[in-house]
Amino acid sequence: MKMHVYDMQHDTVLGDAKLIWQNGKSRTGLDKDATNVIEAGTATWKLYFEIFGRNSVDNLGMILKHYIHYGNQYDNAFWDGMRMVYGDGDGKIFDSFTADADIIGHELTHGVTQYESNLEYHNQSGALNESVSDVFGIMIKQRLLNQDVKQSDWLIGENVLKGTKYALRSLKAPGTAYVDHPDLGTDPQPATYDHFVSLPDTERGDWGGVHINSGIPNFAFYVTAFNMGGFSWEKAGKIWYAALTDRTLVSENTDFAAFKEATLQKADELFGAGSLESKAVVDGWKEAKV
């Protein structure tokens, strides 16, 4: 694994960032944001390598580059196609975007999707893109904490969104991650396809609801993994990874129904037609009404 950490020092010009850590260097003197990205970045690489046999984001040993302290109270983290970038949050609604391993794993997984199916970021393919990142993000968090499917809270971003009763998303119960938040209101995610939210394919419309409708495939994965039991990455995760990386089944414009069929096929291939694992996948998508 190769990893670099850069300090933006509240600038927004990535080329001006200062390299503050790389493999083999001491972590002494690093702040919490730097140690957070090293820990979660390492956990992400380990999940992909040790469970799925993948060598970094591009499967070719790509250096994981993390840029912390981007801008002034910047409320986001993102994968820009080459690197990870993290804001510190405004301190009122959002804490640092390095505060949750699942957020870091989520954003790095956008890179994995980029190098594999490259799901287009709008409408159902975009919602799948977001969901895949949540699915692998939650597995990274669970593995880091050694939690099985019953021990996990299945929450994404519970530390990034300030307040003890709030998180950004819930795979277990989409629509409940935050309720009556003083600034954000109530989580708008549906858990089932009969409540799919139709929005315009514009930035204002969340590119067709990519962050909202991702709750539907998220819920399908949760039900699948929970019914299988054990650790989510052992079976359900392997099925989702196999589907994501089979470009004959999943491509740029894949929708929910096609991704469902891809996971069903991979479950049969990995565990056998009619197996308990295959039934769990069927039941997961059935519960999500896809």
Side-chain angles (χ1 to χ4, degrees):
M1 181 193 71
K2 297 178 181 178
M3 190 185 305
H4 292 171
V5 179
Y6 297 82
D7 189 344
M8 292 294 301
Q9 300 175 308
H10 307 294
D11 197 352
T12 57
V13 181
L14 294 170
D16 293 343
K18 178 183 178 182
L19 177 64
I20 59 172
W21 184 87
Q22 57 186 313
N23 301 80
K25 300 293 185 181
S26 170
R27 299 186 189 183
T28 302
L30 296 179
D31 68 9
K32 186 64 174 176
D33 293 285
T35 57
N36 282 347
V37 300
I38 293 168
E39 180 181 30
T42 300
T44 300
W45 186 90
K46 283 185 174 180
L47 177 89
Y48 278 109
F49 185 75
E50 295 173 359
I51 303 301
F52 308 121
R54 185 181 193 88
N55 186 7
S56 193
V57 165
D58 63 351
N59 204 22
L60 295 171
M62 181 181 190
I63 298 172
L64 299 180
K65 296 181 179 180
H66 302 270
Y67 287 65
I68 61 175
H69 304 308
Y70 177 84
N72 184 25
Q73 297 184 328
Y74 183 69
D75 283 338
N76 207 353
F78 58 91
W79 168 261
D80 76 348
M82 298 181 291
R83 61 180 73 83
M84 283 295 309
V85 181
Y86 307 89
D88 292 340
D90 56 20
K92 177 187 174 184
I93 302 173
F94 298 104
D95 206 335
S96 170
F97 279 78
T98 73
D100 285 295
D102 45 69
I103 293 292
I104 294 170
H106 170 108
E107 299 298 346
L108 285 168
T109 297
H110 279 308
V112 175
T113 299
Q114 170 189 321
Y115 281 96
E116 292 297 341
S117 56
N118 199 24
L119 289 159
E120 290 192 359
Y121 204 70
H122 66 124
N123 300 325
Q124 287 193 27
S125 60
L128 280 170
N129 193 317
E130 279 295 318
S131 174
V132 164
S133 280
D134 276 352
V135 162
F136 286 90
I138 200 67
M139 284 191 280
I140 288 156
K141 170 185 172 179
Q142 290 171 350
R143 192 165 187 250
L144 190 60
L145 298 176
N146 196 35
Q147 291 179 337
D148 65 25
V149 296
K150 295 184 178 179
Q151 294 170 316
S152 175
D153 59 16
W154 291 91
L155 295 175
I156 299 288
E158 60 186 316
N159 294 311
V160 166
L161 185 56
K162 294 177 72 68
T164 56
K165 61 179 181 178
Y166 302 125
L168 292 178
R169 289 179 294 281
S170 170
L171 280 77
K172 180 178 182 178
T176 69
Y178 54 92
V179 177
D180 295 329
H181 188 282
D183 297 285
L184 303 179
T186 295
D187 177 7
Q189 281 201 321
T192 56
Y193 191 70
D194 56 333
H195 291 106
F196 183 91
V197 180
S198 295
L199 291 169
D201 188 12
T202 63
E203 184 175 6
R204 188 179 181 87
D206 190 32
W207 303 114
V210 298
H211 289 95
I212 295 175
N213 292 312
S214 59
I216 298 166
N218 276 357
F219 185 57
F221 179 81
Y222 161 74
V223 173
T224 297
F226 193 85
N227 287 345
M228 288 181 180
F231 294 114
S232 60
W233 56 87
E234 292 179 320
K235 295 179 179 179
K238 288 182 178 177
I239 292 167
W240 255 244
Y241 181 77
L244 178 69
T245 55
D246 188 333
R247 299 180 196 182
T248 66
L249 298 175
V250 179
S251 58
E252 288 89 344
N253 295 306
T254 292
D255 61 13
F256 291 176
F259 195 80
K260 166 189 170 180
E261 292 305 316
T263 58
L264 292 173
Q265 180 172 322
K266 292 304 177 181
D268 287 349
E269 291 176 3
L270 290 171
F271 299 102
S275 63
L276 292 175
E277 291 80 7
S278 287
K279 184 179 184 301
V281 177
V282 170
D283 290 344
W285 289 106
K286 184 177 179 180
E287 286 295 313
K289 298 184 180 180
V290 175

